[in-house]
Amino acid sequence: MRTPEDELATLSEEGLLRSLRRMESGQLICANSDGRKVVNFSSNDYLGLSRDEALVNAACEATRRHGSGSGASRLISGTLPPHHALEEKIAEWKGTQAALSFANGYATAIGVLGAFLTKGDVVILDKLCHASLIDGARQSKATLRVYPHNDLNKLEDLLRHYRERLPANSRLIVVTESIFSMDGDRAPLPEIINLVEQHHALLLLDEAHAVGILGSGGQGLAEELGIQDRVTFQMGTLGKAIGSGGGYIAASRSWIDLLLNKARPFIYSTAPPPAQAAASLCGIEVITSSRGEALRNRLWSNISRLAELLGKNPCSAIMPVILGTNEAALNASLALLETGFLAPAIRFPTVPRGSARLRITLSAEHTAESIEGLHKNLLKSS
Ligand SMILES: *Cc1c(COP(=O)(O)O)cnc(C)c1O
């Protein structure tokens, strides 16, 4: 029998061994790692909301009022007032009839694809979709097809092929992210939606890295482009810019009713603690307020600053510096850490082999000084 030590040794030889980093706070700009102060360029807390006083108070207040745990699954007796309030807010924000929240974004992807797809259906994913979407598609028993990243011609071919062959009763679902998590680039959303509609398919859009950053009220890319109402399933996480934890789907009432009847991670799991739902609701309230708009503007001026220094287009808060080998990425990340900047090395299987990289994420809380310091040391280390 193979031992865990053998497997760990293999991972280590390939430069693919991972370990936990001890942080005093995952979110502070000045995080404490191994006793040293570092500027954190690795968090997805894009607006700094996870330590915002309003969210922290909302979580404490919900805990005092409703308890630290929900006590049961959502369908039994675990649905408490903060869950209802959160889901009503998400639906209003996203312009849909209804919404459903989950324990996290991963469970949301598994839940929605598992609930809506079955044998005989077809799910078509962008090659760079997040692991949660791939895992959900795989577990669903539907036929899984992948198109090269943002390749509209290939997507159209696949849609045409399956639309001609699928029985009328079967589902055809296209899955993409709006901002891709490891590359920070955008999907050609209007073109994708046109193709989806032409071929009578459904669209699952994961806005994990667009929510809080794009859109008039931080709803994401679809709202920014004025096409929110043409997305069948608007998905996202409550754990990144929203500053709490959880995931959601916003859609029409019937889809949400079906989801709560069939999504296994929703049904067979204890409802998330009331504090999580209350902090999420507060996060969305902040994001849609004038304070949220000011935070978004600060984030965008930081994005523009680093994009200019790196000679890239300012697409999103995610800026990869692709280095190729695992070793190059690990060494660059370590060298940056020595100079007081945390930017993690991202390796296979999170990204394709040969495209190991530093993944830099910006926050509204970064200063021009820290961004310039990161850039200067980046040049030295990579
Ligand atoms: C982070 C992420 C998820 C998972 O969300 P969690 O709440 O962290 O589980 C899903 N999709 C994408 C694109 C992500 O980046």
Side-chain angles (χ1 to χ4, degrees):
M1 225 190 314
R2 65 187 192 286
T3 66
E5 289 81 5
D6 289 343
E7 283 191 54
L8 288 167
T10 308
L11 285 172
S12 183
E13 278 159 27
E14 293 172 347
L16 292 175
L17 191 66
R18 287 152 156 90
S19 61
L20 293 173
R21 191 190 301 280
R22 283 178 193 265
M23 305 282 290
E24 282 300 311
S25 150
Q27 316 294 351
L28 260 190
I29 290 302
C30 275
N32 215 350
S33 155
D34 305 336
R36 281 176 305 176
K37 291 257 175 186
V38 294
V39 186
N40 189 350
F41 280 97
S42 72
S43 171
N44 300 314
D45 184 13
Y46 298 119
L47 303 175
L49 290 187
S50 77
R51 302 177 57 83
D52 189 90
E53 205 183 325
L55 275 77
V56 172
N57 285 340
C60 292
E61 173 61 20
T63 301
R64 261 185 233 107
R65 207 183 262 233
H66 306 289
S68 58
S70 297
S73 67
R74 288 288 306 272
L75 288 173
I76 301 303
S77 58
T79 300
L80 302 173
H83 300 110
H84 285 299
L86 170 63
E87 287 163 355
E88 279 162 21
K89 182 73 195 178
I90 293 171
E92 178 203 320
W93 187 45
K94 290 284 187 168
T96 57
Q97 290 173 344
L100 199 67
S101 63
F102 287 73
N104 50 60
Y106 187 91
T108 309
I110 304 288
V112 69
L113 291 167
F116 293 161
L117 290 167
T118 186
K119 203 164 164 357
D121 294 335
V122 175
V123 53
I124 305 176
L125 285 92
D126 184 287
K127 176 91 170 79
L128 294 188
C129 274
H130 189 262
S132 58
L133 300 166
I134 299 169
D135 293 357
R138 279 195 185 138
Q139 288 177 30
S140 73
K141 302 193 189 84
T143 299
L144 166 60
R145 297 300 306 265
V146 169
Y147 60 97
H149 181 48
N150 283 346
D151 185 336
L152 292 167
N153 290 330
K154 192 66 209 234
L155 173 60
E156 184 170 18
D157 289 348
L158 286 168
L159 281 167
R160 192 179 306 116
H161 177 90
Y162 286 106
R163 181 38 71 216
E164 281 166 8
R165 284 163 183 79
L166 270 188
N169 217 14
S170 297
R171 290 191 182 132
L172 181 54
I173 300 189
V174 173
V175 181
T176 185
E177 295 172 27
S178 53
I179 302 285
F180 283 85
S181 63
M182 292 300 140
D183 290 69
D185 60 341
R186 299 182 184 193
L189 199 54
E191 291 82 359
I192 290 175
I193 291 187
N194 286 341
L195 288 175
V196 164
E197 288 176 350
Q198 277 163 28
H199 296 87
H200 309 290
L202 308 169
L203 177 65
L204 170 60
L205 179 66
D206 186 348
E207 297 250 34
H209 296 279
V211 151
I213 294 157
L214 297 172
S216 63
Q219 296 94 331
L221 181 60
E223 199 277 345
E224 175 151 307
L225 299 171
I227 48 183
Q228 212 174 206
D229 59 340
R230 292 166 65 195
V231 178
T232 330
F233 313 115
Q234 300 184 60
M235 174 186 155
T237 171
L238 301 162
K240 288 170 181 161
I242 293 170
S244 174
Y248 65 83
I249 293 283
S252 70
R253 171 73 56 198
S254 312
W255 283 117
I256 296 299
D257 285 345
L258 185 61
L259 196 55
L260 72 85
N261 275 278
K262 294 194 73 178
R264 297 174 66 88
F266 179 88
I267 298 170
Y268 298 106
S269 186
T270 302
Q276 179 177 319
S280 301
L281 170 60
C282 183
I284 296 172
E285 282 167 351
V286 171
I287 282 174
T288 53
S289 71
S290 57
R291 188 153 77 86
E293 198 180 328
L295 288 170
R296 248 187 323 283
N297 289 339
R298 284 234 297 276
L299 174 62
W300 274 104
S301 66
N302 286 343
I303 293 171
S304 300
R305 184 79 197 105
L306 185 61
E308 193 186 317
L309 290 170
L310 293 173
K312 290 181 187 240
N313 279 333
C315 274
S316 72
I318 303 165
M319 301 217 195
V321 177
I322 301 194
L323 295 167
T325 65
N326 296 329
E327 201 185 7
L330 285 171
N331 287 343
S333 179
L334 270 177
L336 271 184
L337 197 57
E338 293 292 318
T339 57
F341 298 96
L342 176 58
I346 307 287
R347 295 162 281 166
F348 178 83
T350 309
V351 294
R353 282 189 200 276
S355 72
R357 65 195 65 186
L358 294 176
R359 177 177 180 270
I360 297 165
T361 48
L362 288 165
S363 151
E365 290 184 300
H366 285 121
T367 59
E369 197 186 6
S370 64
I371 292 169
E372 279 147 27
L374 169 78
H375 178 249
K376 209 180 301 152
N377 286 289
L378 195 60
L379 293 180
K380 284 189 228 151
S381 64
S382 60

